[in-house]
């Protein structure tokens, strides 16, 4: 009887360790951001967006099963020039009033290398900008930081962190972002870079 009970405890403990973790990417510190850059012959435009939220489910023992949904609030798109920012938010460009969210939904990981703390892969998913959805495959690096949430939150919360890093390029014309704009002033290619931290708190 004692052996049977011990076996049940061990099985349950193993299942708990192996359970996937859900990470929340709405950062209370407001540090998470996406950086974008358009490098045309006549002008180079750089900016960022900070209104990031969403959930990602990650299993350190089985990273290939990672899935999730990340959202950027379009109204947080920012460039230093105030007139240019007004144009960026307008109907001709991002039309943030009509399309308030930029959404990426993961459909799975490919070419997964490593497991546990550091994983590299390609993520296949659907990117929706300005109401247009395209399938994309982009490189990604996942860093799992067990028990590091306390260090990031100054001890206010305990739990784990997941940092997602990626750099890739999309085409402005593919998403209907003012495709008629002259490409010598506004590049068609948009370089995207981000490093986002998500939290999985524990009670």
């Amino acid at each position: 009887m004692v052996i049977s009970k011990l076996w049940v405890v061990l099985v349950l403990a193993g299942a708990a360790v192996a359970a996937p973790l859900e990470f929340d990417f709405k950062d209370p510190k407001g540090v998470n951001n996406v950086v974008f850059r358009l490098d045309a012959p006549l002008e180079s435009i750089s900016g960022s967006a900070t209104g990031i939220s969403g959930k990602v489910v990650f299993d350190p023992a089985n990273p290939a099963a990672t899935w999730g949904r990340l959202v950027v609030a379009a109204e947080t798109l920012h460039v230093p020039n105030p007139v240019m920012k007004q144009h960026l938010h307008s109907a001709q460009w991002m039309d943030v009033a009509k399309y308030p969210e930029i959404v990426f939904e993961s459909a799975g990981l490919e070419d997964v290398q490593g497991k546990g703390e550091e994983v590299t892969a390609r993520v296949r998913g659907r990117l929706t900008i300005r109401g247009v959805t395209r399938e994309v495959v982009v490189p990604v690096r996942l860093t799992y930081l067990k028990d590091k949430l306390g260090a990031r939150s100054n001890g206010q919360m305990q739990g784990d962190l997941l940092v997602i890093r990626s750099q890739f390029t999309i085409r402005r014309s593919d998403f209907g972002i003012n495709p008629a704009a002259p490409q010598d002033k506004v590049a068609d290619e948009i370089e995207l870079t981000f490093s986002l931290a998500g939290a999985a708190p524990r009670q």
Side-chain angles (χ1 to χ4, degrees):
M1 180 67 70
V2 173
I3 294 176
S4 297
K5 289 182 178 180
L6 180 60
W7 173 251
V8 170
V9 170
L10 290 173
V11 169
L12 291 175
V17 171
L21 301 168
E22 183 178 86
F23 292 85
D24 187 348
F25 280 79
K26 187 167 182 58
D27 180 14
K29 297 183 69 174
V31 175
N32 282 348
N33 69 91
V34 175
V35 175
F36 59 89
R37 182 169 179 262
L38 297 84
D39 191 11
L42 298 180
E43 290 185 2
S44 179
I45 302 169
S46 297
S48 63
T50 55
I52 297 164
S53 60
K55 302 288 179 68
V56 172
V57 175
F58 175 77
D59 184 348
N62 183 23
T66 300
W67 61 276
R69 183 177 188 267
L70 295 174
V71 179
V72 178
E75 67 178 3
T76 69
L77 289 165
H78 175 77
V79 290
N81 184 305
V83 175
M84 191 177 291
K85 179 179 177 180
Q86 186 177 6
H87 290 166
L88 177 64
H89 287 205
S90 71
Q92 191 174 18
W93 290 87
M94 293 299 295
D95 200 354
V96 302
K98 185 175 181 180
Y99 305 105
E101 293 184 340
I102 299 168
V103 180
F104 179 81
E105 296 178 285
S106 168
L109 297 188
E110 305 173 351
D111 300 330
V112 179
Q113 303 292 324
K115 64 179 180 179
E117 293 184 359
E118 198 78 30
V119 175
T120 60
R122 294 191 307 158
V123 58
R124 182 178 297 275
R126 294 173 297 276
L127 178 62
T128 301
I129 302 175
R130 211 177 181 276
V132 178
T133 300
R134 301 283 186 184
E135 184 174 289
V136 296
V137 180
V138 300
V140 67
R141 178 157 59 99
L142 307 173
T143 304
Y144 171 58
L145 301 171
K146 184 174 175 58
D147 297 324
K148 292 297 185 179
L149 179 55
R152 192 169 196 267
S153 64
N154 296 321
Q156 296 180 13
M157 302 172 67
Q158 299 301 314
D160 302 340
L161 290 172
L162 179 67
V163 181
I164 300 178
R165 296 178 174 89
S166 185
Q167 184 174 9
F168 60 98
T169 300
I170 61 173
R171 290 191 177 276
R172 177 168 53 85
S173 54
D174 285 346
F175 294 92
I177 305 171
N178 196 3
Q183 293 187 22
D184 59 344
K185 293 189 67 175
V186 186
D188 189 37
E189 290 191 344
I190 305 173
E191 301 172 14
L192 300 174
T193 305
F194 58 81
S195 177
L196 312 176
R202 285 196 298 271
Q203 299 296 329

